[in-house]
Amino acid sequence: MTMPRHILAPYMATPADVVERMVRLAEVGEGDVVYDLGCGDGRMAIAAGRRGAHAVGVDIEPYWIEQARSNAAAAGVSARVSFEQRDALELDLAPATVVFMYLVQWSTQRVAAQILGQCAVGTRVVSHSFGFDTVAARSETFEDASGQPRTLHLWVAGDNAVGPGADPARGAST
Ligand SMILES: C[S@@+](CC[C@H](N)C(=O)[O-])C[C@H]1O[C@@H](n2cnc3c(N)ncnc32)[C@H](O)[C@@H]1O
């Protein structure tokens, strides 16, 4: 029997300069374990690998996993960065210190609930475009290199100011 697939978002690429801003916002560095949910061509995981982190990217589409592996090899980060064809909803995110995503509104909230249940206190979560709704996040809006407005949301699991149980009035800023 074929199991139903959960399509969390169509493919849309995050521009390279926005990816760089995401890794800076999450303060990714050596020692981090980064999960890239719906990795597409692997650009977020690869950017994390370039900063010395270990990263795992998952995508439900085999095509993107092939592309991501080839891009990681070209970037020279294959030793630290791996990709798996998986449903992000079936992952165990407990090892993550950083989670990246660019999904859509409903699936971002679905994944936020998964993170809330699985991730350790201090895990930094950065979402391109879509917020977490049920958890307070700090947000920043800016223009990307092509002049298009972009918003990033940061949530730190367990942080009273930016996290579960937070006062949204304290957590929100631009
Ligand atoms: C908006 S794209 C983001 C791609 C990349 N992270 C970026 O920002 O450039 C969303 C990706 O999620 C993948 N996806 C959709 N549903 C998924 C699921 N259940 N598990 C894993 N990946 C999924 C899609 O195939 C697509 O590549």
Side-chain angles (χ1 to χ4, degrees):
M1 189 178 73
T2 311
M3 297 301 285
R5 300 193 327 153
H6 305 108
I7 299 300
L8 301 177
Y11 181 73
M12 289 269 291
T14 301
D17 61 304
V18 178
V19 171
E20 277 312 307
R21 204 153 165 153
M22 290 175 79
V23 293
R24 281 207 309 273
L25 186 60
E27 297 181 7
V28 171
E30 284 177 23
D32 275 317
V33 177
V34 177
Y35 278 64
D36 177 358
L37 308 182
C39 63
D41 68 2
R43 55 187 66 202
M44 292 174 185
I46 291 168
R50 284 198 171 108
R51 290 187 157 224
H54 282 84
V56 180
V58 300
D59 203 288
I60 204 154
E61 300 294 348
Y63 171 80
W64 287 120
I65 296 304
E66 243 177 69
Q67 296 294 310
R69 285 181 179 148
S70 154
N71 291 340
V77 296
S78 297
R80 288 190 300 280
V81 180
S82 62
F83 295 96
E84 295 173 41
Q85 186 201 347
R86 292 278 299 273
D87 182 342
L89 295 181
E90 290 170 4
L91 279 179
D92 175 9
L93 297 173
T97 61
V98 174
V99 179
F100 286 134
M101 73 189 92
Y102 177 28
L103 300 173
V104 296
Q105 188 65 71
W106 73 265
S107 53
T108 301
Q109 289 168 22
R110 173 68 185 78
V111 168
Q114 182 182 358
I115 290 166
L116 198 56
Q118 295 179 343
C119 287
V121 169
T123 303
R124 291 98 75 200
V125 185
V126 177
S127 170
H128 174 195
S129 275
F130 299 100
F132 303 109
D133 192 38
T134 50
V135 292
R138 198 164 61 222
S139 304
E140 55 179 51
T141 298
F142 57 93
E143 283 187 2
D144 70 15
S146 69
Q148 196 177 325
R150 301 277 172 181
T151 301
L152 299 179
H153 304 273
L154 168 71
W155 165 41
V156 181
D159 183 328
N160 284 336
V162 185
D167 172 357
R170 283 188 64 208
S173 69
T174 50

